[in-house]
Amino acid sequence: MIRHPLLFGCALALPLTLCAQQASVQVQQPDLQGSRQLESLTATSVVRDYLQSWKAFRAALDRNAPRLLDQAFVGTARTKLSDTIAEQNKLGIHTHYVDRAHRLQIVFYSPDGLSIQLVDHVTYDEQVMQGNTVLAMQPIHARCLVVLTPSQTSWQVRIFQATAE
Amino acid sequence: MSLVRCLLLAGSALVASPFLLAQSLSMNLPARVAAGSAFSVPTSGSGPGTLTIVGPGQALRRNVQLGSAVALAAGVLYNAGEYVAILSDGSDSQIGLFEVTAAQQPSTLSFLAEPSRLPVDLQNGISGTVYLFDVYHNLIVSPMPVSFDLSASSGPSQTRTVTTRYGVGWTRMNSAPKEGSAHFVAHAGDVSSTRVIDEVPGDPCNLSMTATPDGVKAKLQTAPVRDCSGNPVPDGTVVTFTASYNGMQSTVDVPLKKDIAQVEMPVPHGATISVASGVVAGNQIRWSGQ
């Protein structure tokens, strides 16, 4: 009963990032269908680097700063997100994304070990801003299909594509 | 005038007033559209407004005349994903959510074949992985058949058909029993992609040598060196001859030339001569000088 007014006030008065809490993360057993054995250390690294990529994604699209994508995104994902940032800049808008919950499952590890795919049933809020004015705030439940490839020190997101749940 | 009549009159006035009805701002978004396809968004309201569409994949805005449909031409919205649409008349706005899905026609295959070179006759030694994309480089997530075809320069080809899962299809194949270049092709819809795999002879099999006297030395020579499938082992492969006598050893490394390795080396009578290549050991000869 007490939380509702507080949350409402927060949504009205503060940027969404200040209201953000740590997203809940649930990792399910991999479902690889025999493609390649996955070491638990690899699985842990992939999940860690993917969740880290959300931080880069949020910051880059909020500040319209494509360079913030560099550590976490490569290839198609990097290109598409930086194109979106350029379009946001042109329109004079920026976007707050706040991820609330992730339910992750690794679904493919290529036999050559050069790509890993995971599915993220994610709940996030998308807040479209023009300067300090909120144009829209929309909670979204989506299924993100993500392909990561290894770099020298981490796994980087190469494909990042959402579909409706 | 009775109360009922008043209410009826008031209701009639509301229904008859197009101005009041036209003020309500709304849009009728499709739940999903295919990437790059044309679609329209009927709106209600009056006067000028804007339609802003924003998602991780794209951001765009169109000036609109409220009350009419907003047409988005083919090729305008092409990145798959979830999008927020905001219809605004400057003072009020309506928000909606819709999905852009990948087109169902594959346009690009991202085909990873591994390794590019391997020994002949290796079970499940070759792997192929395909990611399917539409013309806008969206991953096609609905299940689709992908066929893999591995054809060597000799022998029958191998074909496997798999159904993609989350946009990915993969397989494993055996290398051919004969050496040569193999073409590994992945097909999906009207597109295909080819990789060349070098299938090379495996380790030597049944390594054997003969020894004949040549003055004070022994002339050692292997039979033509083949792998277990009968393919000649490549020239340059090192063969090691070793002579052991009274706890002393002398060793000579010789590269294969035209399938054989030969050397002349001093060997004392009573010595044991052996031959090997890599981890493969051949026969032994007790040297008597004859």
Side-chain angles (χ1 to χ4, degrees):
Chain A
M1 291 297 286
I2 297 169
R3 287 179 61 190
H4 287 282
L6 284 177
L7 284 173
F8 183 65
C10 189
L12 281 178
L14 296 172
L16 202 58
T17 44
L18 296 182
C19 300
Q21 296 175 337
Q22 190 81 15
S24 69
V25 177
Q26 186 191 342
V27 182
Q28 297 181 308
Q29 281 296 310
D31 178 19
L32 300 175
Q33 315 247 319
S35 53
R36 183 187 171 99
Q37 191 173 345
L38 180 69
E39 299 297 331
S40 62
L41 198 61
T42 306
T44 305
S45 304
V46 166
V47 169
R48 179 199 61 209
D49 292 343
Y50 169 65
L51 293 173
Q52 197 66 28
S53 79
W54 264 87
K55 290 185 182 172
F57 164 71
R58 286 194 317 244
L61 277 100
D62 192 17
R63 298 181 211 165
N64 282 342
R67 66 182 167 75
L68 298 178
L69 300 167
D70 289 347
Q71 291 292 316
F73 293 89
V74 288
T76 308
R78 170 76 174 77
T79 305
K80 289 190 175 190
L81 289 173
S82 59
D83 287 351
T84 302
I85 290 171
E87 290 162 355
Q88 287 191 168
N89 250 328
K90 208 167 149 187
L91 298 175
I93 60 172
H94 59 112
T95 322
H96 286 307
Y97 287 93
V98 179
D99 46 329
R100 302 288 182 195
H102 298 272
R103 186 160 50 86
L104 302 166
Q105 185 176 41
I106 294 176
V107 293
F108 179 66
Y109 189 16
S110 67
D112 52 28
L114 293 177
S115 62
I116 278 186
Q117 186 179 39
L118 59 82
V119 174
D120 180 13
H121 300 271
V122 61
T123 303
Y124 63 94
D125 296 335
E126 179 176 341
Q127 190 177 38
V128 183
M129 309 278 294
Q130 189 148 27
N132 290 324
T133 308
V134 179
L135 299 181
M137 211 289 270
Q138 181 73 35
I140 295 171
H141 303 282
R143 183 182 66 167
C144 271
L145 295 174
V146 185
V147 176
L148 300 103
T149 54
S151 68
Q152 283 184 337
T153 54
S154 63
W155 289 86
Q156 292 180 304
V157 176
R158 188 167 287 274
I159 297 170
F160 182 62
Q161 186 174 310
T163 61
E165 277 280 38
Chain B
M1 193 183 293
S2 70
L3 180 62
V4 174
R5 198 171 169 195
C6 278
L7 287 171
L8 281 172
L9 279 173
S12 306
L14 279 172
V15 170
S17 167
F19 176 76
L20 284 175
L21 283 180
Q23 290 309 297
S24 65
L25 186 65
S26 70
M27 62 182 159
N28 190 6
L29 278 171
R32 59 184 56 85
V33 294
S37 63
F39 68 103
S40 66
V41 182
T43 67
S44 65
S46 62
T50 57
L51 177 66
T52 308
I53 294 173
V54 188
Q58 274 182 267
L60 56 93
R61 181 175 288 155
R62 291 288 181 271
N63 293 320
V64 301
Q65 184 59 45
L66 297 171
S68 59
V70 186
L72 285 126
V76 169
L77 194 58
Y78 50 82
N79 280 331
E82 291 284 294
Y83 287 87
V84 170
I86 309 157
L87 182 68
S88 172
D89 64 2
S91 58
D92 193 11
S93 65
Q94 284 289 312
I95 300 165
L97 186 66
F98 70 106
E99 181 190 3
V100 175
T101 60
Q104 294 304 298
Q105 183 64 37
S107 172
T108 313
L109 302 181
S110 176
F111 180 28
L112 298 159
E114 200 259 354
S116 58
R117 180 185 157 107
L118 82 165
V120 294
D121 217 13
L122 200 62
Q123 299 292 304
N124 291 326
I126 300 169
S127 71
T129 304
V130 160
Y131 287 90
L132 275 187
F133 297 98
D134 70 9
V135 70
Y136 301 106
H137 223 73
N138 299 307
L139 192 65
I140 301 175
V141 296
S142 52
M144 297 203 74
V146 175
S147 67
F148 294 92
D149 187 75
L150 182 67
S151 54
S153 48
S154 63
S157 64
Q158 303 168 63
T159 302
R160 306 251 165 84
T161 300
V162 301
T163 302
T164 59
R165 177 175 176 249
Y166 301 121
V168 190
W170 66 280
T171 191
R172 284 203 179 94
M173 300 271 200
N174 306 329
S175 59
K178 295 291 176 194
E179 65 173 316
S181 289
H183 285 78
F184 194 14
V185 186
H187 304 267
D190 298 331
V191 288
S192 64
S193 183
T194 304
R195 299 288 178 265
V196 175
I197 309 273
D198 246 356
E199 295 175 324
V200 298
D203 287 331
C205 205
N206 298 322
L207 185 62
S208 70
M209 67 169 168
T210 55
T212 53
D214 185 11
V216 294
K217 296 180 178 176
K219 183 181 179 185
L220 310 175
Q221 181 176 314
T222 64
V225 180
R226 312 269 185 207
D227 69 10
C228 295
S229 302
N231 299 292
V233 173
D235 280 3
T237 302
V238 171
V239 173
T240 303
F241 296 97
T242 304
S244 307
Y245 182 71
N246 271 353
M248 305 285 285
Q249 253 187 3
S250 65
T251 299
V252 180
D253 286 337
V254 182
L256 279 181
K257 194 172 179 183
K258 292 185 179 173
D259 301 347
I260 62 169
Q262 57 182 347
V263 68
E264 289 172 6
M265 62 188 290
V267 180
H269 290 189
T272 302
I273 309 167
S274 60
V275 64
S277 179
V279 295
V280 177
N283 61 322
Q284 286 190 340
I285 293 171
R286 182 92 170 169
W287 179 242
S288 60
Q290 294 181 349

